[in-house]
């Protein structure tokens, strides 16, 4: 029995799917339209400085890390430190409460909010987050927290954990689950940037026999008698397959094949967007301050080189981000300026030691918000595409498991398993 599997897309989801399908004995070809493999997990190198595409952190107890280790991809890196963290509220710096002591001493809250925060931070790790899947973040905050200051603070942490700035629609269950995961085992900033994950997955895939073809756009998934049986490439050529896994965005997937359910999903998916300012400095003007979180404004700053090897000794890589919600900003210059102001506050004098900067006004962090209406991750699409046998999808918008890259990896693995099972029938 032949088992040809075609994977469309060479990001983390596609590379994961290709690995698992090949390990199970399939002949796998992966087509990537770009000349680069890695999608949003690529890292750009300039002057020995590694820039991820905006800030990227790997959840240490998440699916991506687990699957990478299962495949034997080695990752070294560092865990960002709690010390030296700043909360920015109304343009002023405060200690970011992350430990009982910092909660006691911070000037961010008054006494009443501090007492409520202490109780909340003690109870949060134990609650069953899934019970709140059907509530929005706003509904949960309003129901569970009396102090307005603390509600704002928790909202900032939910943004940090999910990248979403959409409290009126986002599922509270997912936001809480991400928060619990961060509390439990934090995140890792990989040495060398996320390209290391991509390169590791690629090397393992090629070792397992996967044929990776870059600069090759798939323009159509071919379907005959309700079964996917191959793809057509932009050069007009056709490739046969027993099963096809599309590991691209919902819009791109819907363009490749006629599927009512995919089309509907693509039309209603709410993207999670962010503006990013990536900065490289000769040295840090304030070496003690390595992290800042906006409380009243949806802003983030982290010195990733303080935890991971991303630049030559002494030099610094800082990622700044504004959580945008689902819309690109009307005035991207104003957003860039807002991020520069945060940098002025946290690392004054940074312009004098600037090596490199890159501003990206609107990146898609996740293709589809997990809403309360769809009960968080439970209502997510795929990996099997209803109505078309042998067609599967993978990505950060697919399946009931994981968020961000964790969803890409989990759905990539699951899509491969389903593709293999489908052929085995
Ligand atoms: C600013 C930012 C910050 C982030 N931070 C984090 C973080 O801290 N932690 C975390 O876990 N995740 C984070 N993410 C999310 C993470 O990067 C993504 O979830 C993950 O990389 C997505 O992988 P993917 O394979 O699902 O999709 P993609 O990386 O988008 O890959 C899809 C690939 O398919 C290719 N493709 C599309 N159509 C076709 C076609 N027709 N033919 C051939 N190829 C095609 C594309 O070129 C692309 O390479 C962040 C993302 C951004 C943008």
């Amino acid at each position: 029995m032949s088992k040809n599997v075609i994977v469309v897309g060479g990001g983390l989801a596609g590379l994961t799917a290709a690995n698992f399908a090949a390990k199970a004995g399939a002949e796998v070809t992966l087509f990537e339209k770009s000349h680069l493999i890695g999608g949003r997990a690529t890292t750009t190198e300039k002057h020995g400085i590694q820039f991820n595409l905006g800030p990227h952190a790997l959840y240490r107890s998440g699916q991506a890390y687990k699957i990478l280790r299962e495949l034997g991809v080695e990752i070294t890196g560092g865990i960002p430190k709690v010390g030296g963290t700043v909360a920015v509220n109304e343009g002023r710096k405060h200690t970011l409460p992350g430990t009982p002591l910092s909660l006691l001493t911070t000037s961010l809250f008054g006494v009443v909010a501090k007492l409520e925060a202490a109780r909340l931070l003690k109870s949060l790790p134990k609650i069953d987050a899934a019970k709140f899947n059907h509530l929005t973040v706003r509904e949960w905050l309003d129901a569970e927290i009396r102090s307005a200051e603390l509600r704002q603070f928790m909202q900032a942490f939910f943004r940090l954990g999910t990248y979403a700035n959409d409290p009126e629609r986002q599922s509270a269950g997912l936001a809480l689950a991400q928060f619990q995961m961060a509390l439990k085992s934090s995140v890792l900033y990989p040495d060398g940037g996320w390209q290391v994950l991509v390169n590791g997955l690629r090397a393992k895939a090629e070792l397992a026999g996967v044929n990776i073809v870059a600069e090759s756009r798939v323009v159509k998934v071919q379907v005959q008698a309700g079964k996917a049986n191959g793809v057509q490439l932009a050069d007009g050529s056709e490739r046969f397959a027993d099963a096809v896994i599309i590991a691209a965005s919902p819009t791109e997937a819907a363009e490749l094949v006629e599927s009512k359910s995919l089309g509907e999903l693509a039309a209603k998916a709410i993207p999670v967007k962010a503006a990013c300012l990536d900065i490289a400095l000769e040295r840090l003007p304030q070496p003690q301050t390595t992290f800042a979180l906006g409380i009243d404004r949806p802003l983030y700053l982290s010195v990733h080189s303080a935890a991971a090897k991303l630049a030559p000794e002494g030099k610094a890589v800082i990622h700044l981000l504004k959580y945008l919600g689902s819309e690109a900003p009307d005035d991207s210059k104003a957003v860039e300026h807002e991020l520069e102001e945060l940098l002025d506050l946290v690392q004054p004098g940074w312009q004098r030691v600037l090596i490199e900067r890159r501003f990206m006004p609107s990146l898609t962090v996740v293709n589809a918000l997990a809403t309360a209406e769809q009960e968080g991750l439970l209502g997510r699409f795929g990996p099997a595409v209803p109505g078309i046998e042998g067609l599967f999808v993978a990505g950060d918008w697919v399946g009931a498991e994981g968020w961000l890259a964790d969803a890409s990896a989990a759905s990539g693995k699951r899509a491969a398993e389903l593709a293999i099972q489908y052929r085995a029938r």
Side-chain angles (χ1 to χ4, degrees):
M1 181 181 63
S2 66
K3 281 178 264 173
N4 282 302
V5 175
I6 285 180
V7 178
V8 184
L12 292 180
L15 288 168
T16 304
N19 265 289
F20 281 97
K23 263 166 67 105
E27 264 179 48
V28 185
T29 306
L30 181 152
F31 294 109
E32 165 55 54
K33 67 180 178 185
S34 165
H35 67 289
L36 292 174
I37 299 295
R40 282 169 286 157
T42 45
T43 306
T44 313
E45 194 195 320
K46 217 169 167 186
H47 315 298
I49 308 270
Q50 318 281 346
F51 270 161
N52 287 327
L53 197 67
H56 270 76
L58 196 58
Y59 277 86
R60 291 172 73 231
S61 49
Q63 285 295 322
Y65 195 39
K66 189 171 151 213
I67 286 170
L68 285 158
R69 280 185 301 173
E70 183 183 341
L71 289 170
V73 175
E74 276 177 35
I75 307 155
T76 60
I79 300 169
K81 289 199 182 73
V82 180
T85 59
V86 163
V88 179
N89 201 28
E90 294 175 356
R92 291 182 45 219
K93 290 189 282 184
H94 305 264
T95 301
L96 183 73
T99 59
L101 180 67
S102 56
L103 180 60
L104 210 65
T105 55
T106 184
S107 52
L108 186 64
F109 306 135
V111 179
V112 176
K114 280 183 182 177
L115 288 172
E116 196 182 4
R119 276 197 303 272
L120 186 73
L121 293 176
K122 204 165 161 219
S123 67
L124 276 182
K126 292 175 234 148
I127 67 164
D128 179 3
K131 268 176 49 190
F132 304 103
N133 275 343
H134 64 290
L135 290 186
T136 66
V137 163
R138 174 74 63 227
E139 285 165 344
W140 184 87
L141 290 168
D142 287 347
E144 300 292 329
I145 303 179
R146 294 168 68 131
S147 148
E149 291 167 292
L150 188 56
R151 278 201 294 274
Q152 205 178 35
F153 173 75
M154 279 310 296
Q155 202 181 321
F157 267 89
F158 288 158
R159 283 194 296 262
L160 176 67
T162 63
Y163 285 83
N165 184 17
D166 209 333
E168 319 300 339
R169 294 186 287 189
Q170 187 186 16
S171 160
L174 169 72
L176 285 161
Q178 286 294 111
F179 184 76
Q180 287 175 327
M181 201 158 65
L183 278 185
K184 188 177 152 205
S185 47
S186 190
V187 294
L188 186 85
Y189 293 170
D191 291 335
W194 274 42
Q195 193 68 44
V196 168
L197 319 187
V198 172
N199 294 350
L201 282 173
R202 181 182 189 160
K204 294 287 173 193
E206 285 177 335
L207 209 61
V210 176
N211 179 21
I212 296 181
V213 190
E215 288 185 88
S216 212
R217 178 196 285 268
V218 171
V219 291
K220 190 177 174 194
V221 172
Q222 283 160 332
V223 179
Q224 213 175 25
K227 291 181 183 174
N229 68 355
V231 299
Q232 191 185 334
L233 301 174
D235 65 6
S237 64
E238 293 178 346
R239 305 296 167 93
F240 163 81
D242 298 301
V244 176
I245 299 172
I246 307 177
S249 72
T251 315
E252 288 164 323
E255 280 167 5
L256 293 181
V257 63
E258 229 172 89
S259 152
K260 190 166 174 276
S261 55
L262 253 183
E264 283 173 3
L265 181 267
K268 73 168 195 232
I270 302 164
V272 174
K273 291 198 168 279
C276 296
L277 180 60
D278 301 341
I279 295 282
L281 302 180
E282 287 294 347
R283 59 181 172 79
L284 275 184
Q286 296 286 327
Q288 299 311 320
T289 314
T290 53
F291 184 85
L293 188 65
I295 303 298
D296 59 334
R297 290 203 268 164
L299 302 177
Y300 160 104
L301 177 156
S302 179
V303 181
H304 280 237
S305 55
K309 292 192 188 92
L310 296 166
E313 199 60 36
K315 297 189 177 16
V317 173
I318 310 177
H319 288 288
L320 295 102
L321 177 142
K322 179 168 187 183
Y323 305 94
L324 294 176
S326 61
E327 302 291 332
D330 291 336
D331 184 350
S332 57
K333 267 275 152 234
V335 173
E336 187 174 4
H337 187 60
E338 201 177 357
L339 291 170
E340 285 171 349
E341 276 180 348
L342 176 63
L343 199 49
D344 288 340
L345 185 73
V346 176
Q347 295 291 342
W350 60 275
Q351 291 96 333
R352 288 194 291 277
V353 283
L354 182 69
I355 304 173
E356 191 70 40
R357 62 179 289 163
R358 174 173 73 168
F359 177 64
M360 295 166 290
S362 177
L363 293 174
T364 299
V365 180
V366 180
N367 278 299
L369 183 75
T371 61
E373 195 187 357
Q374 70 179 49
E375 300 225 10
L377 302 185
L378 292 182
R380 241 170 21 188
F381 189 90
V385 176
I388 304 177
E389 278 190 52
L391 181 62
F392 306 91
V393 286
D396 56 17
W397 51 283
V398 176
E401 232 182 327
W403 184 241
L404 297 157
D406 289 330
S408 297
S411 61
K413 181 179 178 185
R414 187 75 194 118
E417 286 167 354
L418 291 173
I420 295 297
Q421 281 166 22
Y422 163 71
R423 281 306 305 156
R425 267 194 268 141

